[in-house]
Amino acid sequence: MADDDDLQQRLDALTVSEMRRRVDLVVAFLREQRRALAVEVGMTLEDAPGPRPTIDHEQGQRHLQELVEMLPLLRRRLTPEERARIQPMSEARAEQMKEVLDELASQPELFDSLMEEGGIDVRHADIVRMREGVEKMEMLKDIEREVRLLVEELTAYRERLEESVAEMMKKAGGPSN
């Protein structure tokens, strides 16, 4: 799986602080989009006077794509079989994993010597990389959460706008008894 290897290399190439910076940029952009959407929809629903801010959805989509390209993500869609094999790690499991990895990494020399004695080809640096990988994957959950909130808000706004249009249509048609 060359894609998996490439993904792992891109993930490993980023420091935790650089990954955090990139994730924060995407999260800030998504929150900005959510706020702008709320203002635009709110003013529309309230028929508020004055200039209404408008969102350039195409520009926003391009900007989001540029930001997402900075992240170490797969560049292709997963097949249904690949998607079925994915088992998301719970928060509790991730915390346990971090604790174990932290414990293993706490004594680098001892760990390396024990692995060497046992003939196991895992070194302290590998444990550190695994720990950072868990942390980076948790960061991606921040983006997932923001995207989910944006989609939920878009759905709710669409429903509210549809209700508003239906109400206006009823009023325009007069009483229908």
Side-chain angles (χ1 to χ4, degrees), residues 38-125:
V39 169
E40 183 178 8
V41 170
M43 288 184 80
T44 299
L45 288 172
E46 298 296 322
D47 196 24
R52 292 185 185 168
T54 56
I55 301 172
D56 184 344
H57 298 285
E58 288 179 17
Q59 180 185 9
Q61 193 171 6
R62 283 190 307 273
H63 187 61
L64 179 59
Q65 184 62 36
E66 290 170 6
L67 289 170
V68 167
E69 286 176 7
M70 294 184 335
L71 298 172
L73 303 172
L74 277 178
R75 301 298 178 207
R76 65 171 178 82
R77 290 198 179 273
L78 295 175
T79 65
E81 296 81 25
E82 290 170 325
R83 200 173 300 118
R85 284 190 305 233
I86 294 176
Q87 297 177 2
M89 189 182 305
S90 70
E91 286 185 37
R93 179 80 173 123
E95 284 305 314
Q96 286 176 332
M97 178 79 87
K98 287 191 297 189
E99 286 177 20
V100 167
L101 293 170
D102 286 343
E103 183 65 30
L104 291 172
S106 67
Q107 297 178 350
E109 297 82 15
L110 176 61
F111 180 82
D112 283 345
S113 69
L114 289 173
M115 292 298 107
E116 201 171 301
E117 285 174 22
I120 301 171
D121 191 28
V122 176
R123 297 293 171 252
H124 177 261

Side-chain angles (χ1 to χ4, degrees), residues 117-149:
E117 285 174 22
I120 301 171
D121 191 28
V122 176
R123 297 293 171 252
H124 177 261
D126 299 323
I127 297 300
V128 170
R129 199 169 30 260
M130 283 185 231
R131 171 64 168 85
E132 289 176 352
V134 171
E135 195 169 339
K136 291 172 187 176
M137 296 308 290
E138 286 180 330
M139 288 179 204
L140 291 176
K141 288 181 182 179
D142 294 346
I143 295 172
E144 179 185 9
R145 182 180 55 254
E146 289 300 321
V147 168
R148 192 176 319 111
L149 287 171

